[in-house]
Amino acid sequence: MYNQGAVEGAANIESGSRVFVYEVVGLRQSQETDQTNYPIRKSGSVFIRVPYNRMNQEMQRITRLGGKIVSIQPIAVLQQVNGKAELAAANVTVSTEVQAEVNAKHEGNGKATPVSNNSEAKGFAKSPAKDKKGNTMTQAKAKKDAHAEVPVNIYRPNAPFIGKCISNETLVKEGGIGVVQHLKFDLSGGNLRYLEGQSIGIIPPGVDKNGKPEKLRLYSIGSTRHGDNLDDTTVSLCVRQLEYKHPETGETVYGVCSTYLTRLKPGDEVKITGPVGKEMLLPDDPDANIIMLATGTGIAPMRTYLWRMFKDAERAANPEYQFNGFAWLLFGVPTTPNILYKEELEAMQEKYPNNFRLTYAISREQQNAQGGRMYIQDRVAENAEELWQLIKNEKTHTYICGLRGMEDGIDAALSTAAAKEGVKWSDYQKELKKAHRWHVETY
């Protein structure tokens, strides 16, 4: 993958800002590329210098030219490798050995090892497939995967990215139940990038009961690809402190990683891996309908979708994606103070009443039709006819995230609605999954 390539010298005015180097493969010769001042080769990589303030525009331009970005490195890191990769001058070639050395010296953070994105197992991508002769198969064959361009495992457990906590904000209002925090981490100095609907791993410090280093825990990302600051240098999580009674002793037990995260202070370092996951990705179609069923911290991926669809600054940052469809969030929580991101959600509903519908299921304050507690499956049952008609639309995608117990109730409610038209819901749901229109991430 790290074949010899050329470096663009056009973007040499840094204006004091950070500069990154994109390693690009697959650029095709065209009328537009004929205007560039670096050669386009049929094989190998092209290394392009990009000022920070033009990163998004350059990504879009490379995509138009048929290219694929396989790595992004801060130029300062490349310049530190014994002078071998000095990129201040144009048209200097970078060899495989130099690139490998650059990765290994990436400020103590992971090696950003390119992987075959069309294979994942237990949240981690497998090694690149090999053909019968033992040679690594080409990237062209990997394009059979509809999500081949999705970033996966840029940082692995044995070489995590070392980020820093920027902020740790309480989400549960006074009178609410439990501890839920919104954490924001600094990603500058690395090349961790992600998409809405993906997850990252967190490795807590210390050792487990067997004296071995703690294993990573996965958390759904709660910010868009641009981060809460919209500067492409942060990632956010929505974390609830796990708390339960020991079944034998009755002692209160707290989750190791969730407790660690909820108690972080600004400036604290954090080991981050990933990203992982392709199950919860949004469709590219801006006219799609998006049904979101969430409980508690399952709101995290839904928040990323809603920001991408309705936040003014996000819409400005994504001119190629202007959502015109219909989004409906059904959100289950125990009490009103537990409605996470309440102000954000209601502000978006007020501004886009024709495109966004917000429905709460507040279990300890509202009653269902039978006089019991109102859970999200009860709200689905109330709105089953309307939801069923929406689900039948080929442009509709449904996302479920939160406690696994809600799935049976949701299926039961939709089964009743589908049966009225002679449709067996379980069979129909299988077809939805095959069409990648039914997305579930429960725990």
Side-chain angles (χ1 to χ4, degrees):
M1 183 173 290
Y2 292 111
N3 293 325
Q4 207 166 282
V7 180
E8 178 181 13
N12 55 10
I13 302 176
E14 301 181 10
S15 303
S17 64
R18 288 170 293 177
V19 177
F20 294 78
V21 176
Y22 288 5
E23 182 189 6
V24 182
V25 297
L27 285 178
R28 58 176 180 264
Q29 199 71 40
S30 67
Q31 184 175 356
E32 185 171 352
T33 57
D34 285 339
Q35 306 304 314
T36 62
N37 64 347
Y38 54 89
I40 305 298
R41 304 186 182 188
K42 293 182 179 179
S43 62
S45 298
V46 173
F47 293 84
I48 305 174
R49 287 169 39 135
V50 185
Y52 173 77
N53 60 4
R54 288 195 53 81
M55 290 184 74
N56 285 335
Q57 297 96 312
E58 190 64 11
M59 286 180 183
Q60 294 172 13
R61 188 180 74 89
I62 289 168
T63 300
R64 288 198 307 271
L65 298 178
K68 174 182 176 182
I69 300 173
V70 295
S71 74
I72 300 176
Q73 297 277 9
I75 193 170
V77 175
L78 295 175
Q79 292 173 333
Q80 291 173 2
V81 186
N82 299 329
K84 296 179 184 177
E86 180 58 55
L87 300 181
N91 298 324
V92 178
T93 60
V94 181
S95 68
T96 302
E97 293 77 16
V98 170
Q99 184 65 38
E101 188 174 354
V102 167
N103 285 339
K105 293 192 175 185
H106 195 160
E107 297 182 357
N109 286 319
K111 297 180 181 179
T113 306
V115 298
S116 175
N117 283 340
N118 67 327
S119 60
E120 287 181 79
K122 298 181 180 180
F124 298 98
K126 299 177 181 178
S127 300
K130 293 186 177 181
D131 60 21
K132 294 181 180 179
K133 296 181 180 179
N135 297 317
T136 302
M137 297 174 71
T138 65
Q139 286 294 318
K141 294 182 181 179
K143 289 186 178 180
K144 291 179 180 179
D145 185 350
H147 297 309
E149 303 301 321
V150 177
V152 175
N153 291 314
I154 297 173
Y155 292 93
R156 294 176 177 270
N158 61 351
F161 174 78
I162 309 300
K164 285 189 177 181
C165 177
I166 297 175
S167 60
N168 187 351
E169 302 174 357
T170 299
L171 291 176
V172 177
K173 301 293 192 296
E174 185 177 354
I177 299 169
V179 175
V180 183
Q181 301 293 114
H182 180 80
L183 295 115
K184 183 163 59 178
F185 302 117
D186 181 12
L187 300 180
S188 60
N191 66 342
L192 180 61
R193 57 198 185 280
Y194 55 90
L195 299 179
E196 297 78 15
Q198 290 193 290
S199 300
I200 56 172
I202 301 293
I203 304 176
V207 295
D208 61 19
K209 61 182 179 181
N210 298 316
K212 296 182 179 180
E214 289 285 355
K215 294 181 173 61
L216 70 86
R217 277 74 162 178
L218 290 176
Y219 292 90
S220 297
I221 294 170
S223 53
T224 70
R225 67 191 69 184
H226 302 302
D228 285 349
N229 297 346
L230 293 171
D231 61 2
D232 300 322
T233 65
T234 69
V235 65
S236 298
L237 297 179
C238 174
V239 179
R240 178 179 72 88
Q241 183 184 31
L242 177 62
E243 178 182 344
Y244 62 94
K245 296 291 185 181
H246 192 283
E248 297 178 359
T249 66
E251 179 186 4
T252 299
V253 180
Y254 297 97
V256 172
C257 194
S258 62
T259 299
Y260 158 68
L261 286 172
T262 55
R263 295 178 180 177
L264 281 175
K265 295 179 175 57
D268 288 349
E269 292 189 342
V270 184
K271 294 180 180 179
I272 302 174
T273 69
V276 297
K278 299 179 182 181
E279 172 62 27
M280 298 288 284
L281 301 179
L282 268 180
D284 293 330
D285 183 5
D287 296 319
N289 301 310
I290 308 297
I291 298 173
M292 296 162 280
L293 309 174
T295 61
T297 55
I299 191 65
M302 315 307 179
R303 180 180 187 257
T304 72
Y305 308 154
L306 292 169
W307 268 52
R308 183 161 172 80
M309 290 187 282
F310 299 120
K311 275 285 186 178
D312 290 342
E314 270 289 333
R315 290 172 69 89
N318 302 293
E320 77 288 354
Y321 180 83
Q322 298 295 297
F323 184 73
N324 299 309
F326 175 68
W328 188 354
L329 170 63
L330 292 89
F331 187 20
V333 295
T335 69
T336 296
N338 284 91
I339 300 176
L340 310 178
Y341 308 109
K342 183 174 186 290
E343 293 77 10
E344 284 184 18
L345 297 174
E346 294 177 0
M348 285 185 277
Q349 183 189 41
E350 182 177 357
K351 185 162 186 178
Y352 295 94
N354 297 324
N355 300 91
F356 178 38
R357 181 172 173 180
L358 177 61
T359 303
Y360 295 133
I362 308 176
S363 63
R364 302 195 184 189
E365 298 175 7
Q366 300 172 337
Q367 289 187 333
N368 60 25
Q370 292 74 40
R373 288 185 173 184
M374 175 65 75
Y375 294 107
I376 190 168
Q377 53 265 39
D378 299 309
R379 285 296 189 208
V380 172
E382 282 184 354
N383 298 278
E385 295 291 340
E386 192 172 356
L387 286 167
W388 167 242
Q389 295 304 319
L390 193 58
I391 288 170
K392 289 192 298 180
N393 187 321
E394 291 184 356
K395 283 183 171 289
T396 299
H397 288 248
T398 302
Y399 296 83
I400 301 175
C401 189
L403 297 176
R404 183 172 289 118
M406 66 179 173
E407 290 180 71
D408 290 344
I410 291 170
D411 287 338
L414 294 174
S415 292
T416 301
K420 292 178 181 179
E421 297 182 11
V423 177
K424 186 177 180 181
W425 169 248
S426 58
D427 292 339
Y428 193 85
Q429 186 186 58
K430 290 176 183 176
E431 294 304 313
L432 291 174
K433 291 178 180 178
K434 287 181 182 178
H436 304 292
R437 290 175 47 214
W438 189 264
H439 314 266
V440 180
E441 188 173 84
T442 54
Y443 41 84

